[in-house]
Amino acid sequence: MERRTIGAAALEVGAVGLGCMPMSWAYGRPRQRGDESVRAVHQALDRGAVLLDTADMYGPFTNELLVGRVLRERRAEAFVSTKVGLLVGDQHIVANGRPGYVKRACDASLRRLQTDVIDLYQLHRADPEVPVEETWGAMAELVRAGKVRALGLCAVGAGAGPGAHTGRRPGVRPYEATVRQLERVQQVFPVSAVQAELSVWSPQALDALLPWCRAHGVGFLAAMPLGNGFLTGTLRPGAGFEPDDLRARHPRFTAEMMAANQPIVAGLRRVARRHGASVTPAQVALAWILAQGPHVVPLPGTRHAHRVAENAAAHGVYLTSEDLAEVAELPAAQGSWD
């Protein structure tokens, strides 16, 4: 697989990574004891998709334990990214950016991941009760202690409001708050990567966040690059989701909105057909992200090894200028994203 270099620390990863969250969080309960997910992680490493993206809150904690089962055998082949800053309660999620907590959380993640160093440690969300510079300073101390190689920041929402059809509120530029945070923490310690949602149906990061990363030599990790599965073309409107699947309560995944957004998938299929019978809409959606710049790495999430193989193969799909123009002309997604 093509390799890409992200951040001032010159971190080298495969052009396509693996989002591990669906293996144990937010997309319904795994039907097995993680065996299929473990095979998916092994498949990713076999295919060169070495960036494994997890977080302590996924599960909580079980996702890191799962990834650790693979790292115990193949740590040298993997690029490990995990996150800190969010705590999961019974019915709520709260931020915790206190320096002491950050350091304890890092040690706990290292134990669960069965490694002595985290390649990329990301701040999941800033704590409104703690200056972000203090949290970032504690994370920088972890780099100096040799427990972490580089730091990243996860973006806050793009600014979509209820009923929005374009993914933003009037007068609010997407990711304004994140750009302000980045400017602040960059004064404390270099930012190596920013993670934010980016996909054909949620392109708001192209406005200001991606240009900021490009201008500052910062890598961009594209979360949810397949639109929570919608852009694969495998979801049928009205088919329903498991009760604990986040899409069961999501405005864009009602039967009405899924039907309204089918022209987006149809457009991806048209482009895919021009590239051969084996090319899928999902691969076109990932190739579109790869075309946004050499510092961009999509993180498609899955728990299935065959989907990992399909996603990894997207690095070999090269979209022409005509393809990109056609994707740019696809209709904007309907339905609120927040």
Side-chain angles (χ1 to χ4, degrees):
M1 181 183 291
E2 170 198 349
R3 306 286 286 186
R4 293 194 165 191
T5 301
I6 58 175
L11 309 172
E12 190 176 88
V13 298
V16 178
L18 174 63
C20 298
M21 182 179 75
M23 299 174 183
S24 53
W25 178 261
Y27 290 90
R29 296 180 181 178
R31 293 173 176 80
Q32 303 174 11
R33 295 178 54 195
D35 293 341
E36 172 67 9
S37 295
V38 168
R39 285 193 290 271
V41 179
H42 278 293
Q43 178 75 265
L45 296 180
D46 291 344
R47 299 276 177 164
V50 298
L51 198 167
L52 309 178
D53 185 72
T54 182
D56 57 3
M57 73 164 286
Y58 299 158
F61 310 128
T62 55
N63 203 250
E64 288 185 329
L65 289 168
L66 186 152
V67 173
R69 289 170 59 183
V70 178
L71 296 181
R72 181 176 55 201
E73 305 173 22
R74 305 181 66 175
R75 177 64 183 94
E77 300 171 63
F79 182 98
V80 183
S81 169
T82 192
K83 310 177 190 73
V84 67
L86 289 178
L87 295 171
V88 180
D90 289 338
Q91 298 294 327
H92 63 281
I93 297 173
V94 297
N96 188 339
R98 294 189 294 274
Y101 168 75
V102 168
K103 294 175 182 178
R104 292 193 301 275
C106 179
D107 287 339
S109 288
L110 287 167
R111 288 194 296 272
R112 287 188 291 268
L113 291 166
Q114 302 193 52
T115 185
D116 57 1
V117 63
I118 294 165
D119 295 306
L120 180 66
Y121 204 37
Q122 300 183 72
L123 178 58
H124 216 154
R125 288 293 183 271
D127 186 339
E129 304 297 324
V130 179
V132 68
E133 292 87 350
E134 292 186 16
T135 305
W136 199 254
M139 295 172 69
E141 289 182 22
L142 295 170
V143 178
R144 289 188 279 269
K147 297 180 179 182
V148 171
R149 290 181 60 204
L151 303 183
L153 184 77
C154 292
V156 295
H165 288 270
T166 61
R168 69 185 72 177
R169 289 190 296 267
V172 177
R173 295 185 70 202
Y175 296 111
E176 273 189 6
T178 295
V179 170
R180 288 195 296 269
Q181 282 183 351
L182 288 166
E183 297 286 0
R184 290 169 61 184
V185 301
Q186 189 81 323
Q187 304 303 312
V188 177
F189 191 87
V191 179
S192 287
V194 173
Q195 183 169 163
E197 181 177 3
L198 178 63
S199 69
V200 169
W201 82 341
S202 290
Q204 290 76 23
L206 299 179
D207 188 10
L209 194 53
L210 203 62
W212 188 93
C213 291
R214 186 181 298 112
H216 292 81
V218 171
F220 185 92
L221 307 182
M224 293 179 279
L226 298 177
N228 299 89
F230 182 81
L231 300 177
T232 65
T234 61
L235 302 180
R236 292 184 293 107
F241 299 96
E242 296 178 32
D244 52 356
D245 190 315
L246 63 83
R247 295 169 294 188
R249 301 173 300 280
H250 200 297
R252 277 198 186 168
F253 285 92
T254 65
E256 178 186 8
M257 286 298 99
M258 288 180 69
N261 286 316
Q262 286 302 311
I264 300 174
V265 175
L268 296 176
R269 282 201 178 98
R270 285 194 302 272
V271 174
R273 282 196 293 268
R274 291 202 293 268
H275 288 265
S278 64
V279 176
T280 65
Q283 291 172 333
V284 172
L286 294 173
W288 176 84
I289 290 174
L290 291 168
Q292 303 308 313
H295 62 305
V296 180
V297 177
L299 301 175
T302 183
R303 65 176 69 135
H304 302 296
H306 70 283
R307 294 298 182 198
V308 170
E310 176 186 346
N311 295 337
H315 81 96
V317 178
Y318 299 99
L319 301 184
T320 66
S321 57
E322 292 79 8
D323 294 331
L324 294 170
E326 183 169 342
V327 173
E329 292 301 318
L330 292 176
Q334 298 187 46
S336 170
W337 193 227
D338 283 359

